[in-house]
Amino acid sequence: MSIAKLARVTLSHLDWLESEAIHIMREVAGQCGNPVLLFSGGKDSICMLRVAEKAFRPGRFPFPLLHIDTGHNYREVTDFRDRRAAELGERLIVRSVEDSMARGTVVLKSADEPRNKHQSVTLLEAIEEFGFDACIGGARRDEEKARAKERIFSFRDEFGQWDPKNQRPELWDLYNARSFKGENIRVFPISNWTEIDVWQYIEREKLALPSIYFAHRRPIVRRGGGLLPVTEVTPARPGEAVETLQVRFRTVGDITCTAPVESDAEDVASIIAETAVTTITERGATRLDDQTSEASMEQRKKEGYF
Amino acid sequence: MSAIEKLPAEDIPDNGLLRFLTCGSVDDGKSTLIGRLLYDSKTILADTLHAIQRSSARRGLDIVDLSLLTDGLQAEREQGITIDVAYRYFTTGTRKYIIADAPGHEQYTRNMVTAASTADLAIILIDARKGVLTQTRRHSYVAHLLGIPHIVVAVNKMDLVDYAQETFDRIRSDYLAFANGLGIADVRFIPLSALHGDMIVERGERLPWYDGPTLFEMLEGAPAIHSEHDEKFRFPVQYVCRPQDSANPELHDYRGFMGRVESGEVHVGDRVTVLPSGLESRVRDIQVLGESLPRAVAEQSVSILLEDEIDISRGDMIVRSGELPQVGKNIDAMLCWLSESPLDPRRKYLLRHTTRDSKAMLAAIAFRVDINSMQQQPAERLLMNDIARVSFRLAQPIFADPYNESRGTGAFIIIDESTNNTVAAGMIL
């Protein structure tokens, strides 16, 4: 296995990941009749929009953007979402968990129950409303154990369910996006990216992000070993001391289940430096809804989650 | 503070990405080896480690079971076996790695075929106490069949045979005896203990008689895919960009042929032929997001613009003139049947090759391979996990190369249109 003549250019790891993601998006465009790209304004979906530009410009995207809004998102993120879609000149569809609650299809156990898992219902309703046959999402295999075995083209039955034992074999770069009416394919172009790859890509491509990804001062309380932001929907409990700390968010989901970390990182390079030495996984640190049980992601995916 | 000052990666050479496959069963310590690679490369973070410490304690283990890192799904944890291919990631700073973790049990040959299809290197694990087993031969055969160019035979659990060189040497000569028969060219051997970490990242002190590279050094030094041979330029068209409705009049006649270079490379000015029409033109430009590139290399996704107006659509292929692939409606191939429903010789299937689909009918099964004995046997039909030499008749021609020359244009899948399932994987001879 001596290093033979390396005459040819080898793609850097970021170029390779980007190229794979472009290829995947073009396969969706080539194989699916009515796809949609899920765009939340979060960093992973911001990378996906960049990939989509590289895949389809100077043409328009062959799909609209869709956000499932829990109604508990940070203003900075939803503003960014709207601005970015407008800059790109692409169509943005927003469907709200609160509308599903009004319809009675989402019923919360209590008023302060995190709404993240209920996005599944609203997503399935949007899929049905528009007849989408494929949803392009920003999930990564490094995020969580149940995702490590996820296909890039993941089949969901007519109830939106993921059956880990009934997934199509996926070989080479020959993807199978075929589905019957009512069924759906979830496509994950950045499956093979890790958190650090995402940050390196953001830095290389000079991608703009919502401001709350960077260090800012924010009132928080300490609860259950983590930091919780104090907001209108997540007030401090009686007896809890509210502190103002320098923090940033590693993920920006629903306010009620997305926690910040202490940080002085004011730019992407500083975040990369922090991420390289971090000792807690992205979801472990900041996704309060995943800690409930070891298998909680697998359970939610079976119910139609991204 | 500028970004560049803070990013050490600017100075470190980027050796790209290597995808490798680990084959072996739980008993060979495969999960422990992967856990060790992740652990020693500092990929495992504190909360994950705490979670597996808790799991280990719950099962009454007194040491941290690194194999728990790779046991993914609840269903599998209950059964204590790995039933599907899982992908893991680590980086050394100079190279990013994707591990495809394939289960070793006989009934899951299809999973190993899946994992092997994208691997550049295979690590085949052997338990030093057991030596070369039937499953070792099976894994090696599949790795070779799927065209993995580099094979590393890792003789694990050396701690349980007192780190004895004689044991290692005997296993190596046993392995070579059958590997030569299969035609496996590049195979290397390494003794190690995944449990204690010897020869993974650190050499340890218990294998002084071994002077070859550590497993990490082998991975770091493995040649990048597409770097070792001259390749023919192959560009299957995925999508055609015609932004006629754009407000920009300059784009009125724009036609970008979008795709990923499957092999070889192409330069602006190169003379190319478009299949199936056979029409020729020259490359006018190669673009990504408005930027022009002088060339595109294997695995790069680009848009190609041609000098002449030629009608091209998805499923067509652009190649360098004078380097045409085989164009035909009859193919001979090695086929791995992946579906629980057997291959029905009377039915029509859909064959997907690059970005092109064609109806296909089985013409003949030349033989089935018993992958335990490597014997060729006659067969009337194929069941899940069967590997066979077959021929298909196609409704539309495909533009193909032998798989052992070009994986990207030698591979195909078979889809059952009644279920939309992917039911077989094929390699053109």
Side-chain angles (χ1 to χ4, degrees), chain B residues 315-332:
Chain B
D316 292 359
M317 189 183 286
I318 302 174
V319 304
R320 195 189 314 281
S321 295
E323 288 182 357
L324 301 193
Q326 304 163 14
V327 179
K329 292 185 180 179
N330 294 294
I331 54 168
D332 289 326

Side-chain angles (χ1 to χ4, degrees), chain A residues 1-20 22-27 29-31 50 53-62 141-142 145-151 162 164-180 183 191-194 196-197 200 203 205 250 267 269-270 272-273 278-285 294-295 298-299 302, chain B residues 1 3 6-7 14 16-17 19 45-48 55 58 68-69 71-77 79 82-89 96 98 110 113-114 117-118 121 146 150 152 186 188 218 221-224 226-230 238-239 241 243 251 254 258-260 262 265 288-289 295 297-303 314 338 350 352 354-355 403 411-413 415 417-422 425-427:
Chain A
M1 214 187 321
S2 64
I3 298 196
K5 46 169 187 164
L6 282 166
R8 273 160 220 84
V9 175
T10 299
L11 298 184
S12 75
H13 85 277
L14 278 185
D15 284 335
W16 190 93
L17 292 170
E18 178 192 66
S19 180
E20 181 189 46
I22 293 170
H23 176 259
I24 291 162
M25 283 204 193
R26 287 174 175 168
E27 280 306 289
Q31 293 188 36
R50 182 61 162 184
E53 284 185 274
K54 295 206 179 192
F56 301 112
R57 293 293 187 242
R60 304 249 335 232
F61 295 174
R141 286 173 177 155
D142 80 320
K145 273 181 173 182
R147 291 223 190 268
K149 306 196 172 188
E150 180 66 279
R151 302 293 191 271
W162 179 70
K165 291 191 175 166
N166 184 25
Q167 288 295 313
R168 296 171 182 171
E170 194 161 81
L171 297 104
W172 299 289
D173 55 3
L174 296 172
Y175 301 110
N176 178 356
R178 295 172 67 91
S179 63
F180 294 113
E183 297 170 345
S191 286
N192 285 323
W193 300 32
T194 60
I196 193 90
D197 295 328
Q200 287 175 343
E203 164 149 80
E205 299 292 315
R250 284 172 75 182
D267 57 23
S270 311
I272 291 174
T278 193
T279 57
I280 309 268
T281 62
E282 183 178 336
R283 279 187 175 268
E294 262 188 87
E298 184 179 352
Q299 201 53 46
K302 284 178 179 168
Chain B
M1 192 176 322
K6 291 214 68 175
L7 191 67
D14 189 325
L17 182 142
R19 303 190 69 159
L45 299 173
D47 56 338
T48 308
S55 293
R58 223 173 19 242
L68 291 175
L69 281 169
D71 280 348
L73 303 177
Q74 192 175 23
E76 294 175 2
R77 285 203 296 275
Q79 294 169 30
T82 314
I83 55 172
D84 208 342
V85 183
Y87 296 90
R88 315 281 167 194
Y89 305 86
K96 177 184 165 101
I98 303 179
R110 67 175 202 152
V113 168
T114 302
S117 73
T118 52
L121 180 147
L146 271 287
H150 305 289
V152 174
D186 180 4
R188 303 180 102 191
M218 286 187 184
H226 300 289
S227 71
E228 294 178 275
H229 306 285
D230 287 324
Q238 286 185 279
Y239 196 74
C241 179
L251 292 177
Y254 186 98
M258 298 177 148
R260 184 160 73 155
E262 283 289 352
E265 60 181 66
V288 178
L289 192 51
R295 65 169 173 179
V297 300
E299 304 200 299
Q300 200 169 7
S301 290
V302 295
S303 297
R314 175 177 167 85
L338 307 171
L350 193 72
R352 174 164 293 166
T354 66
T355 55
Y403 183 80
F412 62 87
I413 56 172
I415 295 168
E417 288 181 284
S418 70
T419 60
N420 283 332
N421 262 329
T422 303
M427 291 140 283

Side-chain angles (χ1 to χ4, degrees), chain B residues 351-366:
Chain B
L351 183 143
R352 174 164 293 166
H353 172 262
T354 66
T355 55
R356 200 171 174 81
D357 289 349
S358 171
K359 302 262 187 201
M361 271 192 85
L362 186 75
I365 301 174

